[in-house]
Amino acid sequence: MNKIILAAVAAISMAGAAWTDPAEGTWQTEPDDGAYALVVIAPCGAAFCGTISRTFNASGEYKSPNLGRQIVIDMVAAGDGSYAGQVWRPSNDKIYIGKMDVSGDQLRLRGCVAGGLFCASQNWVRVQ
């Protein structure tokens, strides 16, 4: 009986891991104004949000005033590896229309204006 219970618990645990969204995890940003960050993307309601967890510059890790701030805001999955929501750019403190595409350990994040006609992008890599 104990073996059956353990097998059921193991199966449920593995099934839960299989349902993890591809965007979830810790991602390293590209440098922006000489600094880069580690961003943890996790569910926030029915969407996904990314919070700055660590920051680095040429001297190494430092305590940015942006630690704990959301940089990826309410990204809703379209089901094909793409997401739509908002992004915050720390260097100018502006929020943009956000688009995100995830493929394996690569994430492309875009901040757009003019209804999405003009976008600036960054390519992030998964670190966890």
Side-chain angles (χ1 to χ4, degrees), residues 92-114:
N92 66 4
D93 196 29
K94 293 190 185 266
I95 294 177
Y96 298 93
I97 295 168
K99 298 179 181 187
M100 189 169 76
D101 297 294
V102 178
S103 179
D105 289 337
Q106 304 292 314
L107 181 149
R108 181 170 179 234
L109 184 70
R110 297 180 306 285
C112 306
V113 296

Side-chain angles (χ1 to χ4, degrees), residues 21-113:
D21 190 272
E24 287 185 64
T26 302
W27 300 86
Q28 180 178 318
T29 70
E30 284 184 25
D32 190 12
D33 288 342
Y36 69 93
L38 297 185
V39 176
V40 176
I41 296 181
C44 57
F48 293 90
C49 297
T51 304
I52 298 172
S53 64
R54 297 174 71 186
T55 51
F56 302 84
N57 61 21
S59 301
E61 187 167 4
Y62 75 104
K63 298 289 183 196
S64 166
N66 297 324
L67 286 170
R69 298 262 330 248
Q70 266 190 11
I71 192 168
V72 175
I73 306 162
D74 295 330
M75 286 286 183
V76 177
D80 61 355
S82 68
Y83 303 75
Q86 296 180 313
V87 296
W88 171 64
R89 185 174 182 199
S91 64
N92 66 4
D93 196 29
K94 293 190 185 266
I95 294 177
Y96 298 93
I97 295 168
K99 298 179 181 187
M100 189 169 76
D101 297 294
V102 178
S103 179
D105 289 337
Q106 304 292 314
L107 181 149
R108 181 170 179 234
L109 184 70
R110 297 180 306 285
C112 306
V113 296

